[in-house]
Amino acid sequence: MECLMPETKKPSATFLVIGAGELGLAVINGLLEQHPESAGSVSVLLRPPADAAGEQAKHPLEGKGLHIVRGDLATETVDGLVAIFASFDTVICCTGFVGGPGTQRKITKAVLQAGVERYVPWQFGVDYDVVGHGSGQPVFDEQADVRDMLRGQSATEWIIVSTGMFTSFLFEPAFGLVDLERPRVHALGSWENRLTVTTPGDIGRLTAAILAHEPRIRDQVVYVAGDTFSYTQLADMIEGHLGRDVERVMWDMDRLRSEVAAHPDDGMRKYHLAFARDTGVAWDKETTFNAAQGIAVVDVPAWLDQREAA
């Protein structure tokens, strides 16, 4: 692990958050919690409004003192993105693959060409160094390419925040891993395989804390985790929450591969195969940044309790 450099950033550092979805808003809130006085130095990149009425409407984020920058990641050229990014010290990408294949490579190329001082790419997920290429999920391959691009240069500092899966995605009906109504839990590959998950709210707070850390963190992969568990432990947690037995169904590798082969355009089936691993998609919570800093996070039982109370 590289040595950490002393903090050199001026208090007036400017931030550009790309996207204002669930994660983007969480990162914005995290930045404002770290430095409540810094709203004027935070900008958000959003798509242009769809019509004239949208053009004239004031975006809610402007009420917080944030600046709105307009640009379409899907259609903007690299040079166009360079012109946007060059005004900012730190760029944090909080939008995933909505722009289509190649979007993250294009954003990263523009960040580097713009001479941005520090970049946090859209790597809020698994350990792409371990997963590497050929995982069965093409977007994972692109994430590995982004890491190669960042490590192939030295002018722009970078921080990758590895978070595991979003906690809510674990319970997404379309993903099909956990069905709280039936109730049923599916294991991917093996009951002993593990997953790491983190809530977007925690990711936002932890990303802001990582950026504010002294001595300065640079050119590192930083691991965070809300919870890490095996599929057996997940089923146990669901049973504890519901107070009754859950059906346990294992999807072995043969089944997962055949499902992808039969439905090559089904992204969820590709995700099932990509996450059916014993490496790269989980890490010990005790070794994370949040554990080292004593920052409280939301684990799966707490997330389930919050969901029930909502």
Side-chain angles (χ1 to χ4, degrees):
M1 185 176 292
E2 294 200 25
C3 296
L4 304 181
M5 292 180 61
E7 175 62 59
T8 58
K9 179 66 73 179
K10 302 182 294 295
S12 58
T14 54
F15 297 86
L16 176 66
V17 177
I18 302 177
E22 186 178 18
L23 181 61
L25 291 175
V27 168
I28 290 167
N29 289 334
L31 291 172
L32 297 182
E33 286 174 14
Q34 281 285 338
H35 303 287
E37 75 289 348
S38 67
S41 67
V42 179
S43 298
V44 187
L45 179 64
L46 302 175
R47 281 194 299 261
D51 51 34
E55 188 73 50
Q56 296 176 358
K58 187 178 180 68
H59 196 280
L61 288 174
E62 293 179 273
K64 292 187 174 185
L66 281 70
H67 303 291
I68 305 300
V69 179
R70 297 292 182 176
D72 191 329
L73 297 173
T75 60
E76 191 63 77
T77 64
V78 170
D79 288 344
L81 292 177
V82 168
I84 294 172
F85 297 159
S87 300
F88 299 94
D89 299 314
T90 299
V91 173
I92 309 168
C93 185
C94 293
T95 187
F97 303 99
V98 293
T103 301
Q104 295 307 318
R105 284 190 294 265
K106 180 167 75 171
I107 294 170
T108 303
K109 183 178 182 180
V111 165
L112 299 181
Q113 287 189 15
V116 172
E117 184 174 333
R118 187 158 58 166
Y119 180 43
V120 181
W122 172 266
Q123 295 267 323
F124 303 97
V126 304
D127 188 337
Y128 298 106
D129 289 329
V130 175
V131 173
H133 292 81
S135 67
Q137 183 55 266
V139 295
F140 283 14
D141 292 348
E142 183 171 342
Q143 296 295 67
D145 292 341
V146 167
R147 294 192 180 205
D148 291 342
M149 295 171 68
L150 294 175
R151 287 170 171 146
Q153 58 81 50
S154 58
T156 294
E157 298 176 14
W158 51 269
I159 300 173
I160 287 170
V161 184
S162 286
T163 66
M165 187 185 294
F166 285 12
T167 306
S168 55
F169 192 61
L170 187 66
F171 299 92
E172 176 61 42
F175 190 41
L177 213 60
V178 178
D179 185 338
L180 292 173
E181 300 302 322
R182 298 196 68 153
R184 176 188 292 169
V185 173
H186 292 99
L188 299 178
S190 166
W191 284 105
E192 300 313 308
N193 284 353
R194 299 194 305 162
L195 285 177
T196 288
V197 300
T198 313
T199 68
D202 283 342
I203 295 171
R205 293 189 303 112
L206 293 169
T207 298
I210 290 165
L211 286 167
H213 187 271
E214 297 184 24
R216 184 181 179 97
I217 298 174
R218 63 185 296 273
D219 301 343
Q220 285 185 221
V221 179
V222 182
Y223 295 89
V224 304
D227 211 343
T228 295
F229 47 81
S230 68
Y231 288 104
T232 296
Q233 291 170 325
L234 174 61
D236 291 343
M237 286 188 286
I238 302 300
E239 286 185 344
H241 175 73
L242 296 176
R244 57 189 172 120
D245 292 342
V246 303
E247 183 182 359
R248 303 181 185 218
V249 179
M250 209 263 282
W251 287 340
D252 61 28
M253 296 302 292
D254 288 342
R255 175 196 169 105
L256 295 173
R257 291 190 183 102
S258 65
E259 287 283 331
V260 170
H263 305 276
D265 297 325
D266 190 319
M268 286 302 181
R269 285 182 168 90
K270 289 182 180 179
Y271 271 125
H272 290 161
L273 183 59
F275 278 98
R277 304 173 52 90
D278 58 4
T279 59
V281 297
W283 38 90
D284 293 336
K285 189 173 177 179
E286 295 75 20
T287 64
T288 60
F289 175 85
N290 46 284
Q293 300 297 314
I295 300 174
V297 290
V298 177
D299 60 14
V300 167
W303 187 90
L304 288 167
D305 289 342
Q306 290 177 3
R307 173 185 178 275
E308 192 170 82

